[in-house]
Amino acid sequence: MKQNIGYQFHTETKYLREPYSAGAFERLRNQETIKRRPLDRTVALPPPDRKNGFPLYAVLNARRSVREFEDRPVSLEALSQILWAAYGVSFRAGDFLFRTAPSAGALYPVEVYVAARSVEKLNPGLYHFAPASHSLRQRYEGDLSPLLAEAALDQDFLAEASFNLILTAVFERTTWKYGARCFRYIYLDAGHIVQNAALAAVSLGLGSCPVAAFFDDEVNALVGVNPARESAIYLLAVGWPRND
Ligand SMILES: Cc1cc2nc3c(=O)[nH]c(=O)nc-3n(C[C@H](O)[C@H](O)[C@H](O)COP(=O)(O)O)c2cc1C
């Protein structure tokens, strides 16, 4: 990735564990709970509903950040619906696949991953969302959520959520056009996506909480991306709200 002030800003505003050490990566890699063997298994997602759901204003009124979740699985249909609402394809024009969320220059630098813990018909693991085919590609097996919670400054609710979305950005998809300014656009794109997902969750009776406080390179290590090219920017914990 070519150095520019945007990339420098992104890098210099990362949260680092003090004292920072590459040992953190090793610790994550050595976790026995996770088979870090990269997989490339495809999981078809049920077709999303594109027409119904709760009325928009009622959903906007009901959305709150939820940090207490029931230990109860979410259906694969609900995950599918949330992914489509977040960043799914809503319009095709030739080779262009427009999404539910706007994106500067329609360059879609953001990628969405799912760290699934408790989703029906889906093994715990890390999955990459493929919007064009509305499917998931499994990257890793195992429940990443305790490690994700640890990487997110020990925010334990991530380990209680049924699944967490992990948003990353592939910088070069947008730097070629917007240079350093693209970093503004990347963060704005991510905000649209997370809000779409949060509203879809409400529409399904689920709750969510956005999370931007995390040790960036620990999340990058969990997802298995090279931070010089692709880096985590935002998380969303999703599950059944606990009302006690
Ligand atoms: C960019 C961003 C980052 C956030 N990061 C966190 C976080 O790391 N942990 C957390 O518990 N909440 C986080 N939140 C949620 C906010 O605390 C929450 O949106 C705010 O308190 C307003 O409450 P509401 O979402 O219920 O309207 C974040 C929200 C945004 C927009």
Coordinates of all heavy atoms in Angstrom, one line a residue, residues 175-212:
T175 N -8.1 3.8 -3.1 CA -7.0 4.8 -3.2 C -6.6 5.2 -4.6 O -6.3 6.3 -4.8 CB -5.7 4.2 -2.5 OG1 -5.5 2.9 -2.9 CG2 -5.7 4.4 -1.0
W176 N -6.7 4.3 -5.5 CA -6.3 4.6 -6.9 C -7.2 5.8 -7.4 O -6.7 6.6 -8.2 CB -6.5 3.4 -7.9 CG -8.0 3.0 -8.1 CD1 -8.7 2.1 -7.3 CD2 -8.9 3.5 -9.1 NE1 -10.0 2.0 -7.8 CE2 -10.1 2.9 -8.9 CE3 -8.8 4.5 -10.1 CZ2 -11.2 3.2 -9.6 CZ3 -9.9 4.7 -10.9 CH2 -11.1 4.1 -10.6
K177 N -8.4 5.9 -6.9 CA -9.3 7.0 -7.4 C -9.2 8.2 -6.5 O -9.2 9.4 -6.9 CB -10.7 6.5 -7.5 CG -11.6 7.5 -8.1 CD -12.9 6.9 -8.5 CE -13.8 7.9 -9.2 NZ -15.1 7.4 -9.5
Y178 N -9.3 8.0 -5.2 CA -9.4 9.1 -4.3 C -8.2 9.5 -3.5 O -8.2 10.4 -2.6 CB -10.6 8.8 -3.3 CG -11.9 8.7 -4.0 CD1 -12.6 7.5 -4.0 CD2 -12.4 9.8 -4.7 CE1 -13.8 7.4 -4.6 CE2 -13.7 9.6 -5.4 CZ -14.4 8.5 -5.3 OH -15.6 8.3 -6.0
G179 N -7.1 8.7 -3.6 CA -5.9 9.0 -2.9 C -6.2 9.0 -1.4 O -7.0 8.2 -0.9
A180 N -5.5 9.8 -0.7 CA -5.6 9.8 0.8 C -7.0 10.1 1.3 O -7.4 9.7 2.4 CB -4.6 10.8 1.4
R181 N -7.8 10.9 0.5 CA -9.2 11.2 0.9 C -10.1 10.0 1.0 O -11.1 10.0 1.7 CB -9.8 12.2 -0.2 CG -11.1 12.8 0.3 CD -11.5 13.9 -0.7 NE -12.8 14.4 -0.3 CZ -13.0 15.4 0.6 NH1 -12.0 16.0 1.1 NH2 -14.3 15.8 0.9
C182 N -9.6 8.9 0.4 CA -10.5 7.7 0.4 C -10.7 7.2 1.9 O -11.7 6.5 2.1 CB -9.9 6.6 -0.4 SG -8.6 5.7 0.4
F183 N -9.8 7.5 2.8 CA -10.0 7.0 4.1 C -11.3 7.6 4.8 O -12.0 6.9 5.5 CB -8.7 7.3 5.0 CG -7.7 6.2 4.7 CD1 -6.9 6.4 3.6 CD2 -7.6 5.1 5.4 CE1 -5.9 5.4 3.2 CE2 -6.7 4.1 5.1 CZ -5.9 4.3 4.0
R184 N -11.6 8.9 4.4 CA -12.8 9.4 4.9 C -14.0 8.6 4.4 O -14.9 8.3 5.1 CB -13.0 10.8 4.3 CG -12.1 11.9 4.8 CD -12.5 13.2 4.1 NE -11.6 14.3 4.4 CZ -12.0 15.5 4.5 NH1 -13.3 15.8 4.3 NH2 -11.1 16.5 4.7
Y185 N -13.9 8.3 3.1 CA -15.0 7.6 2.4 C -15.2 6.2 3.0 O -16.3 5.7 3.1 CB -14.8 7.5 0.9 CG -14.7 8.9 0.2 CD1 -14.1 9.0 -1.0 CD2 -15.2 10.0 0.9 CE1 -14.0 10.3 -1.6 CE2 -15.1 11.3 0.3 CZ -14.6 11.4 -1.0 OH -14.5 12.6 -1.6
I186 N -14.1 5.5 3.2 CA -14.1 4.2 3.8 C -14.9 4.1 5.1 O -15.8 3.3 5.3 CB -12.7 3.6 4.0 CG1 -12.1 3.2 2.6 CG2 -12.6 2.4 4.9 CD1 -10.6 2.9 2.7
Y187 N -14.6 5.0 6.0 CA -15.3 5.0 7.3 C -16.7 5.4 7.1 O -17.6 4.8 7.8 CB -14.6 6.0 8.3 CG -13.1 5.8 8.4 CD1 -12.2 6.9 8.4 CD2 -12.5 4.6 8.5 CE1 -10.8 6.7 8.5 CE2 -11.2 4.4 8.6 CZ -10.3 5.5 8.6 OH -9.0 5.3 8.7
L188 N -17.0 6.3 6.2 CA -18.5 6.6 5.9 C -19.2 5.4 5.4 O -20.3 5.1 5.8 CB -18.6 7.8 5.0 CG -18.0 9.1 5.5 CD1 -17.9 10.2 4.4 CD2 -18.9 9.7 6.7
D189 N -18.6 4.7 4.4 CA -19.2 3.5 3.9 C -19.5 2.5 5.0 O -20.6 1.9 5.0 CB -18.2 2.8 2.9 CG -18.2 3.4 1.5 OD1 -18.6 4.6 1.3 OD2 -17.8 2.7 0.5
A190 N -18.5 2.3 5.9 CA -18.7 1.3 6.9 C -19.9 1.7 7.8 O -20.7 0.9 8.3 CB -17.4 1.2 7.7
G191 N -20.0 3.0 8.1 CA -21.2 3.5 8.9 C -22.5 3.1 8.3 O -23.4 2.7 9.0
H192 N -22.6 3.3 7.0 CA -23.9 3.0 6.3 C -24.2 1.5 6.5 O -25.3 1.1 6.7 CB -23.8 3.3 4.8 CG -23.6 4.7 4.5 ND1 -24.3 5.7 5.0 CD2 -22.6 5.3 3.7 CE1 -23.9 6.9 4.5 NE2 -22.9 6.7 3.8
I193 N -23.1 0.7 6.3 CA -23.3 -0.8 6.3 C -23.8 -1.2 7.7 O -24.7 -2.0 7.9 CB -22.0 -1.5 5.9 CG1 -21.7 -1.2 4.4 CG2 -22.1 -3.0 6.1 CD1 -20.3 -1.5 4.0
V194 N -23.1 -0.7 8.7 CA -23.4 -1.1 10.1 C -24.8 -0.7 10.5 O -25.6 -1.4 11.1 CB -22.3 -0.7 11.1 CG1 -22.8 -0.6 12.5 CG2 -21.1 -1.6 11.0
Q195 N -25.2 0.5 10.1 CA -26.5 1.0 10.4 C -27.6 0.2 9.7 O -28.6 -0.2 10.3 CB -26.7 2.5 10.0 CG -28.1 3.1 10.3 CD -28.4 3.3 11.7 OE1 -27.7 2.9 12.6 NE2 -29.5 4.0 12.0
N196 N -27.3 -0.2 8.4 CA -28.3 -1.1 7.7 C -28.5 -2.4 8.5 O -29.6 -2.8 8.7 CB -27.8 -1.4 6.3 CG -28.0 -0.3 5.3 OD1 -28.6 0.7 5.6 ND2 -27.5 -0.5 4.1
A197 N -27.4 -2.9 8.9 CA -27.4 -4.2 9.7 C -28.2 -4.0 11.0 O -29.0 -4.9 11.4 CB -26.0 -4.8 9.9
A198 N -27.9 -2.9 11.7 CA -28.5 -2.7 13.0 C -30.0 -2.6 12.8 O -30.8 -3.1 13.6 CB -27.9 -1.5 13.6
L199 N -30.4 -1.9 11.8 CA -31.9 -1.7 11.6 C -32.5 -3.0 11.2 O -33.6 -3.4 11.6 CB -32.1 -0.6 10.5 CG -31.7 0.8 10.9 CD1 -32.0 1.8 9.8 CD2 -32.4 1.3 12.2
A200 N -31.9 -3.8 10.3 CA -32.4 -5.1 10.0 C -32.5 -6.0 11.2 O -33.5 -6.7 11.3 CB -31.5 -5.8 8.9
A201 N -31.6 -5.9 12.1 CA -31.6 -6.7 13.3 C -32.9 -6.4 14.1 O -33.6 -7.3 14.5 CB -30.4 -6.5 14.1
V202 N -33.1 -5.1 14.3 CA -34.3 -4.7 15.0 C -35.6 -5.2 14.3 O -36.5 -5.7 15.0 CB -34.4 -3.1 15.1 CG1 -35.7 -2.7 15.7 CG2 -33.3 -2.6 15.9
S203 N -35.6 -5.2 13.0 CA -36.8 -5.6 12.3 C -37.1 -7.1 12.5 O -38.2 -7.6 12.4 CB -36.6 -5.4 10.8 OG -37.7 -5.6 10.1
L204 N -36.0 -7.8 12.9 CA -36.1 -9.3 13.2 C -36.3 -9.6 14.6 O -36.2 -10.7 15.1 CB -34.9 -10.0 12.6 CG -34.8 -9.9 11.1 CD1 -33.3 -10.2 10.7 CD2 -35.7 -10.9 10.4
G205 N -36.4 -8.6 15.5 CA -36.5 -8.8 16.9 C -35.2 -8.9 17.6 O -35.1 -9.3 18.8
L206 N -34.1 -8.8 16.9 CA -32.7 -8.9 17.4 C -32.2 -7.6 17.9 O -32.7 -6.5 17.5 CB -31.8 -9.6 16.4 CG -32.2 -11.0 15.9 CD1 -31.5 -11.4 14.6 CD2 -31.9 -12.0 17.0
G207 N -31.1 -7.7 18.6 CA -30.4 -6.4 19.0 C -29.0 -6.5 18.5 O -28.4 -7.5 18.2
S208 N -28.3 -5.3 18.6 CA -26.9 -5.2 18.1 C -26.2 -4.1 18.8 O -26.8 -3.2 19.3 CB -26.9 -5.0 16.6 OG -27.3 -3.7 16.3
C209 N -24.9 -4.2 18.7 CA -24.1 -3.0 19.2 C -22.9 -2.8 18.3 O -22.1 -3.8 18.1 CB -23.6 -3.3 20.7 SG -22.7 -1.8 21.4
P210 N -22.7 -1.6 17.8 CA -21.5 -1.3 17.0 C -20.3 -1.2 17.9 O -20.4 -0.7 19.1 CB -21.8 0.0 16.4 CG -22.9 0.6 17.2 CD -23.6 -0.4 17.9
V211 N -19.2 -1.7 17.5 CA -17.9 -1.6 18.3 C -16.8 -1.1 17.4 O -16.5 -1.8 16.4 CB -17.6 -3.0 18.9 CG1 -16.2 -3.0 19.5 CG2 -18.7 -3.4 19.9
A212 N -16.2 0.0 17.8 CA -15.0 0.4 17.1 C -13.8 0.4 17.9 O -12.7 0.8 17.5 CB -15.3 1.8 16.5

